[in-house]
Amino acid sequence: MKLDEVLDHNAPPIIAILRGIRPDESVDIASALFDSGIRIIEVPLNSPQAFDSICLIQKALGNHACIGAGTVLDSLAVEGLAKTGADLMVTPNTQASVIAQALACGLTPVPGFVTPTEAFAAIAAGAKHLKLFPSSAFTPGYLKAICEVLPKHVSVWAVGGTGASNLGEWIAAGSRGI
């Protein structure tokens, strides 16, 4: 399922990041999250056998949730992700060639940024979703100021140091989710 489709169905504004998950536990954990209402699930590529976990989760939940990879750093990772059938591609940076390749492969890129310059570079490369990373280094006020100058069709996610205790603050500042 595509990220925008999930968001259109009023999914909770949460991307579950399954850092360090193993393939043998991936479907059970992803299913428990799905049963709890989470509809966006990311497996960082620095997890053990990440593509195997993504394939398994995609097969089990891909028709009902948006599945993807995080810590996507280069073209080989984009190619590997595209082969899983997943949709979501999350990066810690704004490398234009990786964003463009993701779009060419039919993936939804969510590149990480810190500065407005990086945000606009990612948008110029075709990104419609961005992540402020690491959010823990900033305040919701910082995000609010950036959101005021971004195009309205671009959504921003606050990632890193976010959770139930500060979700409301980030949403109030303009974050689409955490």
Side-chain angles (χ1 to χ4, degrees):
M1 183 173 251
K2 293 283 194 185
L3 178 60
D4 288 332
E5 292 174 300
V6 171
L7 296 175
D8 286 345
H9 287 89
N10 296 318
I14 298 168
I15 299 174
I17 301 171
L18 308 185
R19 188 169 312 285
I21 196 168
R22 297 181 321 269
D24 63 323
E25 61 188 356
S26 63
V27 173
D28 288 342
I29 292 171
S31 295
L33 288 165
F34 182 86
D35 291 345
S36 298
I38 304 298
R39 298 293 183 262
I40 309 168
I41 300 172
E42 167 195 332
V43 176
L45 292 185
N46 56 2
S47 300
Q49 300 170 310
F51 287 125
D52 293 341
S53 291
I54 294 166
C55 284
L56 291 167
I57 297 168
Q58 176 65 21
K59 184 177 178 183
L61 299 173
N63 290 333
H64 307 288
C66 179
I67 312 302
T71 318
V72 178
L73 301 175
D74 56 36
S75 62
L76 287 175
V78 174
E79 289 173 19
L81 177 58
K83 290 176 186 175
T84 69
D87 174 64
L88 182 67
M89 185 202 77
V90 183
T91 70
N93 57 8
T94 56
Q95 189 172 347
S97 62
V98 171
I99 296 167
Q101 184 181 7
L103 291 167
C105 289
L107 300 169
T108 301
V110 183
F113 79 97
V114 169
T115 67
T117 300
E118 292 170 340
F120 281 103
I123 293 165
K128 295 179 183 172
H129 303 276
L130 306 173
K131 77 171 188 176
L132 175 61
F133 177 77
S135 294
S136 60
F138 302 94
T139 65
Y142 179 78
L143 176 64
K144 183 176 182 181
I146 290 175
C147 286
E148 288 174 0
V149 299
L150 293 178
K152 298 300 178 208
H153 74 279
V154 173
S155 70
V156 178
W157 296 74
V159 178
T162 57
S165 65
N166 59 10
L167 171 63
E169 294 172 51
W170 288 106
I171 297 295
S175 180
R176 175 62 181 89
I178 61 169

